[in-house]
Structures are given as structure tokens and as C-alpha cells.
Amino acid sequence: KKGKKKGTAKKKDSSALTEDDKVKQAQRQMELLRTSLAEARDDARRTTSRMINVANDLEHKSDALATQEEATRDITSDLTRQYKLMQSQLMSKILDLQEVNRVLEDRLEVTQRSLQDTRIQAEKTLREKEDMIAQLTQRIQSMESAYESVLNEALDAMASKVETARDKWEVESYVVQQRNKDVLMEFGLSHVAL
């Protein structure tokens, strides 16, 4: 019985509103809606600005990574060129030494010099050539090791930078997504529904 009395009282209150009261009430509701709409627009602008900043930052990082990759390619190309040049020089020296050896053997046969003197000179020359070849071979091996080490370090550094940039981007992306979810939740919307 009490519930019926309250319902009756509400009906009397709503019917007691005049047209002016209804217009004022509608205007207040419209003003509240305008304020909410303006706040939503401001939030949307801020979110868009943050997204643009994140996109720009990602683009800068991509450019930096591309520059690093180009520098690595340049270094690799230069080291390869140097290696080939040294290999060519070594081959030329070996051919020169072989030619010297041939000339010495021809002279040995033509001049009929003392066998003992010739043997001593030939053995000395051969030792020098073998020492030089051994030294050059050791240098090549050392350079190959150094080249491999430099290349591995450069690739490891580049992989580390890429991993760091990816991790940072994932964190920033998660933060932006979380903010967007929070904004949607403030408006009573679900990100899953979108």
C-alpha cells in the first residue's frame, strides 16, 4: 500500500511540471551533453596526438636502424674489399717468389758455379721464402679471425639494438592501448565490442 502511495506522488510531481520547467530541464540536459561531448573531443585529440608522437618516434627509430644497417653493410663491404686486395697482393708476391726461384735454378744450370755455394744460397733463399710465406699465411689467418670477430660484434650489436627497440615499442604500444581502454571504460564502452 505504501508503494502505491509513492507512485501516485511521483505521477503528481511529473504532471505538476510546467512547460517552462520541462524546457529548462531539457536545456540543462543538453548543456550537460555538450560538456561531455567537449570533454570527449578533448580526450580524443589528446589520444590522437599521443598516437602521432608514438608513430613519429617509431619512424625515427626505424630510420636509425636503417642507417645502422647501411653502416654495417659499408663496413662489411670495405673489409671484404681489403681482404680481396691483400689476397691478391699475397698471390702476386707468391708468383714473384716463384719466378725468382725459377730464375735462380736456371742460373745454377747455366753458370756451373760451385755446387756448395749454390746450395748455400738456394737453401738461404728458400728459407726466406718459406718464412715470408709462413708470415703472410699467419697474417691472413689473423686477419680472417679479426674480420670474423668484427663482423660478429657488429651483428650482435645490431641485433641487441633491434631487440631493445622492439621491447621499448611493445611497452609503449601497451601503455597507449591501456590508456585507450581506460578512456573507453570512462565512457562506458568496451574495447572488445569495438
Side-chain angles (χ1 to χ4, degrees), residues 66-82 147 150-151 154-155 158:
T67 302
Q68 180 65 33
E69 288 173 346
E70 185 175 349
T72 301
R73 281 194 299 272
D74 290 345
I75 290 169
T76 302
S77 175
D78 187 55
L79 289 173
T80 302
R81 182 187 59 75
Q82 290 178 18
Y147 172 77
V150 167
L151 185 60
L155 291 175
M158 185 172 66

Side-chain angles (χ1 to χ4, degrees), residues 2-29:
K2 289 180 182 179
K4 288 181 181 178
K5 287 180 183 178
K6 285 181 182 176
T8 306
K10 284 182 183 176
K11 286 181 184 176
K12 286 180 182 178
D13 288 343
S14 63
S15 63
L17 290 175
T18 64
E19 286 299 318
D20 278 347
D21 291 338
K22 289 179 182 177
V23 168
K24 287 178 184 177
Q25 186 177 15
Q27 286 175 343
R28 281 194 299 272
Q29 289 176 350

Side-chain angles (χ1 to χ4, degrees), residues 162-179:
V162 168
E163 184 69 18
T164 302
R166 184 183 65 79
D167 291 344
K168 186 175 179 184
W169 181 84
E170 286 179 356
V171 169
E172 291 174 353
S173 174
Y174 175 78
V175 169
V176 169
Q177 289 178 0
Q178 195 59 44
R179 287 180 187 158

Side-chain angles (χ1 to χ4, degrees), residues 52-107:
I52 290 170
N53 289 339
V54 168
N56 289 338
D57 187 40
L58 181 59
E59 184 177 349
H60 291 315
K61 287 178 181 173
S62 296
D63 291 344
L65 179 59
T67 302
Q68 180 65 33
E69 288 173 346
E70 185 175 349
T72 301
R73 281 194 299 272
D74 290 345
I75 290 169
T76 302
S77 175
D78 187 55
L79 289 173
T80 302
R81 182 187 59 75
Q82 290 178 18
Y83 174 77
K84 287 181 179 178
L85 178 62
M86 292 181 69
Q87 192 176 36
S88 173
Q89 290 172 346
L90 174 62
M91 186 58 68
S92 177
K93 287 180 182 179
I94 290 172
L95 291 174
D96 290 344
L97 290 172
Q98 288 173 347
E99 180 64 20
V100 168
N101 188 51
R102 187 188 64 78
V103 168
L104 289 173
E105 288 176 352
D106 288 345
R107 284 182 185 173

Side-chain angles (χ1 to χ4, degrees), residues 137-162:
T137 302
Q138 186 176 5
R139 285 182 189 171
I140 287 174
Q141 290 172 348
S142 175
M143 288 179 62
E144 286 175 345
S145 298
Y147 172 77
E148 184 178 353
S149 174
V150 167
L151 185 60
N152 286 337
E153 287 174 7
L155 291 175
D156 289 344
M158 185 172 66
S160 176
K161 288 180 181 178
V162 168

